[in-house]
Amino acid sequence: MDDRIRALAETIWRYHHLHHQLSPADAILVLCSHDTVVAKRGAELFLQGWAPLMIFAGGLGSITRRLWQEPEADQFARIAGEMGVPKDRMLIENRSTNTGENVAFTRQLLAERGLEPHTFIVVQKPYMERRSYATFRKVWPEKDVIVTSPQESMDDYLRRCSHAALSPDDVISIMVGDLQRLRLYPAKGFQIHQDIPDEVWQAFEALVAAGYDRHLVTA
């Protein structure tokens, strides 16, 4: 990755972060994916006492169905259990395949259990903070939510996520695709609107032109 591509990616990376201040909540909702460090971040927050309940949401999505057979949520819950989170403080939603379903199916699961948290800490990948917030506010607008993610730099994140099945270039393409979804999905009823500064959209267009277009939606 040359310096120009890194700078463009960093612009989008910074935009995706919301920098929400943590505050005590009724539940921690971990939105699962290929990045198991998100599970560790959620478990750390639980063990620090930020909320008394953990929910793991995620089946197999477009990326993880190529990597795993076991649902994301089951793997994430096992990691949290190994870190000391009690099983009776965890719920697992392992059918969802996208962010909207993560939230909608979690809402259904809690209703079935007779639980009604009013405040949530959502834990997600760093470059998915903003889209997770916009989706949650659309699907479950009556609840209060803050979003957080593993606390690390873009370069550290790309190094950590790099492996044979998911390269740094793949992650940048995913980031670019998530930004496109932030622009397109409000009109489809999937998310609330988010302002996108010109500088950020120009970075998007430059990265697409450079070939980081593998995770764009086409319709």
Side-chain angles (χ1 to χ4, degrees):
M1 187 192 315
D2 62 30
D3 289 344
R4 173 176 174 270
I5 294 298
R6 178 177 285 105
L8 293 169
E10 185 78 41
T11 296
I12 293 178
W13 171 272
R14 290 196 304 268
Y15 172 72
H16 282 309
H17 281 70
L18 293 172
H19 304 290
H20 283 170
Q21 187 74 32
L22 287 174
S23 61
D26 297 327
I28 296 168
L29 171 57
V30 179
L31 302 184
C32 305
S33 65
H34 61 84
D35 184 0
T36 56
V37 175
V38 175
K40 296 176 183 177
R41 171 69 169 162
E44 288 168 355
L45 295 177
F46 177 90
L47 295 170
Q48 291 167 4
W50 290 102
L53 175 66
M54 290 199 75
I55 308 150
F56 296 94
L60 290 172
S62 60
I63 294 173
T64 51
R65 69 170 59 103
R66 296 188 284 108
L67 304 175
W68 303 331
Q69 293 183 331
E70 183 183 23
E72 301 160 3
D74 294 85
Q75 297 190 53
F76 277 42
R78 185 166 59 251
I79 291 168
E82 292 169 352
M83 292 177 64
V85 178
K87 287 186 177 181
D88 64 358
R89 306 313 304 165
M90 292 189 284
L91 295 176
I92 295 175
E93 182 289 298
N94 60 10
R95 299 181 298 116
S96 54
T97 61
N98 57 55
T99 308
E101 288 184 354
N102 289 159
V103 180
F105 291 0
T106 294
R107 182 175 186 172
Q108 179 182 344
L109 174 63
L110 289 169
E112 291 169 352
R113 298 295 182 94
L115 300 173
E116 192 174 357
H118 295 287
T119 55
F120 288 83
I121 297 171
V122 166
V123 187
Q124 176 60 285
K125 299 185 296 296
Y127 57 84
M128 279 282 288
E129 282 193 18
R130 186 177 294 274
R131 194 155 80 86
S132 298
Y133 175 79
T135 302
F136 190 103
R137 294 293 300 148
K138 181 65 178 183
V139 176
W140 214 351
E142 62 269 29
K143 302 298 183 181
D144 291 330
V145 59
I146 58 176
V147 182
T148 188
S149 63
Q151 306 293 287
E152 56 190 334
S153 70
M154 184 187 77
D155 286 340
D156 286 345
Y157 187 86
L158 292 178
R159 279 193 293 268
R160 180 174 57 74
C161 282
S162 179
H163 53 78
L166 198 71
S167 70
D169 282 347
D170 290 328
V171 176
I172 293 174
S173 287
I174 296 168
M175 286 170 48
V176 168
D178 282 331
L179 181 58
Q180 182 205 32
R181 286 161 176 78
L182 278 166
R183 170 161 284 195
L184 297 180
Y185 277 8
K188 296 177 179 292
F190 298 158
Q191 299 171 357
I192 64 168
H193 172 77
Q194 299 284 285
D195 288 330
I196 301 176
D198 290 343
E199 175 192 17
V200 174
W201 195 251
Q202 289 164 7
F204 165 88
E205 291 176 330
L207 286 169
V208 170
Y212 292 88
D213 57 359
R214 295 188 295 278
H215 290 270
L216 298 180
V217 293
T218 56

